[in-house]
Amino acid sequence: MLLEIAVKLAAVLAAFLVLPLVVGQTEHKLMAHMQGRLGPMHAGRFHGWAQLIADGVKFAQKEDLVPDDADKPVFRLAPAVALLPYLLVILFIPLGPGDLVGSNLDMGLFIVVALVGVGVLAVLMAGWSSANKYTLVGALRGAAQLMAYELPLVLAAASVAVAAGTLSLPAIVEAWNPWWLLWQAPAALVFFTAGLAEIRRPPFDAPIADSELVFGYLTEYAGLRFALLLLAEYVGIVVISALTAVLFLGGWKGPGPESLGWVWTLLKTGALAGVVIWLRVAWPRLRVDQIQALCWKALVPIALAQLVLTTAVALAL
C-alpha cells in the first residue's frame, strides 16, 4: 500500500514538473513558426530543445528582489499559493482506466473545481503585497475576472456531471458516449473558455497587460519566484486541457486497446494545449469590459441553458 502511494505521488510530481515544460517548449516553437521567425535555437543541439532548462537556470541565478515597502511574508508566499492547487488537481485527473489516477474520490470534480478557484488568492496576494499601483490594478482585474468566470466554469462542469450521474472523474469518463461531443458541446466550449480566463491566458490576459500595466501583478517579482509564477501558468494550461479532455472528450477512450488509453488522454490534452497556444498568437487581448460582457452576457446564459437541457434529458431517461 505504501509503495503504491509512493509510486503514484512520484508519477504526479513528475507530470507536474515535466508536462508544463513540454507545453512551454511547444509554445516557443509554435509561436515562432506562426510568426515566421526561428525562435530560440541555441540551447541544446536540436532546435533549442533545452531553452526552458536554460531559462530556469537563468532565473535561479538572478537576485531575489523584494520591494522595501512590500508585505514581505505575503509577497514570498504568493508563488507557492499559485502552484500548490494545480499540483493537487493533478492528483485527481485520471490518465487511464483502473489505477492510473492519483486519487479516485467520489467528489473528485467538486474538489477539482474548488482547487482551480484558489488561483484568485495568489493573484490578490501578489498584487496587493507588492506595494505598487500597477500590480494592484492587475490584481483587482484578476480578482474580478476569476470570480466572474468561476460561475460558467462550475455550471459547465455541473452539466457533464448531471449527464454522467456522478462527480467522480473516472466514472464520468466511463459514462461518456461519443454523442456527448454534440450534446455537451456548448458546455465544453464554455468550460474551456472559462478555464482560459481562470489561468489568465490570452485573450484574457488583462490582469498582466504588459502594454498597460508593465507586467500587472507580476511586475515586482524577479528570479526564481517569477519563474514559479510563470510555471503556474503552464501548469494551468495542462490542468485545464486535461480536465476538458476528461470531462468532454472521453479521456482515455479511443480506438485500440484500453491499456493504451493513457496515450489518448495525453494526445487530447496536447491538442487542447495547442489550441491555447494558437489563441495567444491569433487573438488580441480583450478589454476588461469585454471580458466581463463575454462572461455574463454569453457564457453564463449558455451554461445555464445547457444545464437545464441536460437535467431535462437526464430526468427523461
Side-chain angles (χ1 to χ4, degrees), residues 226-239:
F226 181 75
L228 292 177
L229 287 166
L230 288 184
L231 178 63
E233 176 181 332
Y234 287 108
V235 179
I237 294 174
V238 174
V239 165

Side-chain angles (χ1 to χ4, degrees), residues 256-282:
E258 198 173 66
S259 60
L260 296 178
W262 60 273
V263 175
W264 285 108
T265 303
L266 291 178
L267 287 175
K268 294 172 184 178
T269 301
L272 290 170
V275 174
V276 175
I277 296 169
W278 170 74
L279 288 171
R280 176 177 179 177
V281 181

Side-chain angles (χ1 to χ4, degrees), residues 13-31:
L13 186 59
F16 178 75
L17 295 175
V18 173
L19 291 180
L21 296 181
V22 173
V23 171
Q25 180 70 7
T26 303
E27 180 172 65
H28 280 173
K29 294 304 175 183
L30 283 182
M31 288 181 63

Side-chain angles (χ1 to χ4, degrees), residues 56-67:
V57 173
K58 175 188 70 176
F59 282 126
Q61 292 176 336
K62 285 182 175 290
E63 185 178 2
D64 181 19
L65 299 175
V66 179

Side-chain angles (χ1 to χ4, degrees), residues 8 17 39 41 62 66 70-71 96 114 123 126 143 160 165 217 219 229 231 236 252 255 263 270 311 317:
K8 286 186 175 182
L17 295 175
M41 294 288 287
K62 285 182 175 290
V66 179
D71 187 335
V123 174
V160 74
Y217 63 92
T219 298
L229 287 166
L231 178 63
W252 65 76
V263 175
T311 303
L317 296 177

Side-chain angles (χ1 to χ4, degrees), residues 127-147:
W128 179 264
S129 65
S130 295
N132 180 309
K133 62 182 180 182
Y134 295 107
T135 63
L136 179 58
V137 172
L140 293 178
R141 283 186 179 185
Q145 177 174 311
L146 270 63
M147 293 177 69

Side-chain angles (χ1 to χ4, degrees), residues 169-185:
L169 293 178
I172 289 175
V173 179
E174 292 288 355
W176 184 86
N177 285 295
W179 72 286
W180 285 19
L181 292 172
L182 294 177
W183 181 36
Q184 295 296 320

